[in-house]
Amino acid sequence: MYQKIKIILSFITITSLFLIPVKALAETAEIELSFNDSIPVSDEHTFSYKQLIVPASLMLYGTIEATLAPKNRLLNYAIGHEVITHTPERFQIDDITQYVPAASVYVLNLVGIKGKHNFKDRTIILGMASLFTAASVNGLKYTAKVERPDKSAKNSFPSGHTAIAFMGAEFLWQEYKDVSIWYGVAGYTIAAGTGAFRIYNNKHWVGDVSFGAGIGILSTKLAYWLYPTVEKKMFNGGKGKKNKQNIALSPFYNGQQGGLAFSMQF
């Protein structure tokens, strides 16, 4: 019984760690709302150094854990040791929850709750974010070659599941933060739970999850920042052109590899 309590407390600790961005986002939005009679419409396509603080902090912490953990008993060791020692029952729900935040944007639109962008624009943005995430995660996985806690492979750092989950959470936040901040809070809560379950299921270290969360958030922010330029040069066809092109993008990610299906109709 005592061991189960320790594992539960460890799970709560790691979930709380990744809920810090949720609290920061919610408090910021509430402060803005208190000075306005209506919901403010922010410019998510404008670059701001302040937006780098959360993802950069998560990535820095993940790097510190991955670098120092072999010789120092940081959270990588403390949490990982509990999971490895007591081998709790596995919950594979993280294979599903990683996609829930991003999918929620489309579900909300289907039930009539409109976000900031139409289907084409948000799909292009999500496709770009997925491409950035997949390239970053897979590039680091097979360069760093960190062994997973369960010793099943040497591609632990960073966590792809967590990166996809936080990428989707930031996507949900950007599309619906001016409708209600609670959509974003829900998305980040699910993303945090996904990261926690990756550790609980003995598939990743804390550092892997932290860095993956940072990559996911940053990838989505980068997609929003770059979208106006990409849309203008590649998808509008120019204001003076009479013939328009129908373009469809379908991002995909299977936990190990990601990509972007592209189709164009002339």
Side-chain angles (χ1 to χ4, degrees):
M1 182 66 180
Y2 174 69
Q3 300 299 346
K4 288 184 178 180
I5 292 175
K6 288 179 66 178
I7 292 172
I8 292 172
L9 289 175
S10 298
F11 179 80
I12 293 174
T13 299
I14 193 60
T15 302
S16 299
L17 174 65
F18 295 106
L19 281 175
I20 292 175
V22 176
K23 185 175 184 296
L25 289 171
E27 287 181 349
T28 300
E30 286 176 354
I31 290 173
E32 291 177 350
L33 287 172
S34 66
F35 290 95
N36 294 278
D37 294 329
S38 60
I39 297 175
V41 178
S42 58
D43 188 357
E44 70 281 357
H45 296 298
T46 302
F47 173 79
S48 171
Y49 286 107
K50 291 182 179 180
Q51 295 184 51
L52 296 175
I53 295 176
V54 171
S57 298
L58 289 169
M59 293 169 72
L60 176 61
Y61 177 75
T63 302
I64 292 173
E65 281 282 357
T67 303
L68 301 181
K71 296 182 179 180
N72 298 273
R73 295 189 173 187
L74 305 179
L75 273 181
N76 260 7
Y77 176 88
I79 304 295
H81 176 72
E82 290 297 323
V83 175
I84 293 171
T85 301
H86 306 296
T87 58
E89 182 180 354
R90 303 288 186 260
F91 294 95
Q92 302 302 326
I93 193 172
D94 46 333
D95 289 335
I96 299 173
T97 57
Q98 62 176 322
Y99 302 113
V100 171
S104 298
V105 173
Y106 293 89
V107 172
L108 288 169
N109 269 264
L110 285 174
V111 298
I113 305 175
K114 295 182 179 181
K116 279 185 180 168
H117 296 88
N118 59 33
F119 180 84
K120 185 202 79 169
D121 292 338
R122 67 172 177 268
T123 301
I124 294 172
I125 291 171
L126 180 59
M128 291 170 61
S130 298
L131 188 62
F132 297 150
T133 301
S136 302
V137 168
N138 287 300
L140 287 169
K141 274 183 178 292
Y142 300 103
T143 300
K145 296 181 179 180
V146 176
E147 189 173 39
R148 291 179 182 270
D150 63 358
K151 302 186 183 301
S152 61
K154 288 189 176 181
N155 60 352
S156 187
F157 181 87
S159 169
H161 282 63
T162 308
I164 288 296
F166 275 85
M167 177 200 78
E170 179 64 18
F171 179 53
L172 179 60
W173 167 256
Q174 291 293 346
E175 287 297 309
Y176 283 96
K177 63 183 178 182
D178 293 327
V179 178
S180 172
I181 64 171
W182 296 109
Y183 291 119
V185 170
Y188 267 100
T189 300
I190 293 171
T194 300
F197 272 114
R198 293 307 286 167
I199 298 169
Y200 183 83
N201 289 328
N202 203 27
K203 285 296 183 180
H204 282 288
W205 305 101
V206 174
D208 305 338
V209 171
S210 179
F211 198 94
I215 282 183
I217 296 171
L218 185 60
S219 294
T220 299
K221 289 184 179 296
L222 184 60
Y224 274 96
W225 292 333
L226 294 178
Y227 177 67
T229 300
V230 173
E231 196 269 345
K232 181 179 180 180
K233 292 186 176 181
M234 296 181 63
F235 298 99
N236 268 351
K239 292 183 178 180
K241 292 188 178 181
K242 296 181 180 180
N243 297 324
K244 297 291 183 179
Q245 299 171 339
N246 294 323
I247 298 172
L249 292 171
S250 300
F252 67 89
Y253 189 82
N254 61 13
Q256 295 293 331
Q257 296 179 336
L260 190 66
F262 175 87
S263 63
M264 179 183 293
Q265 182 180 356
F266 296 91

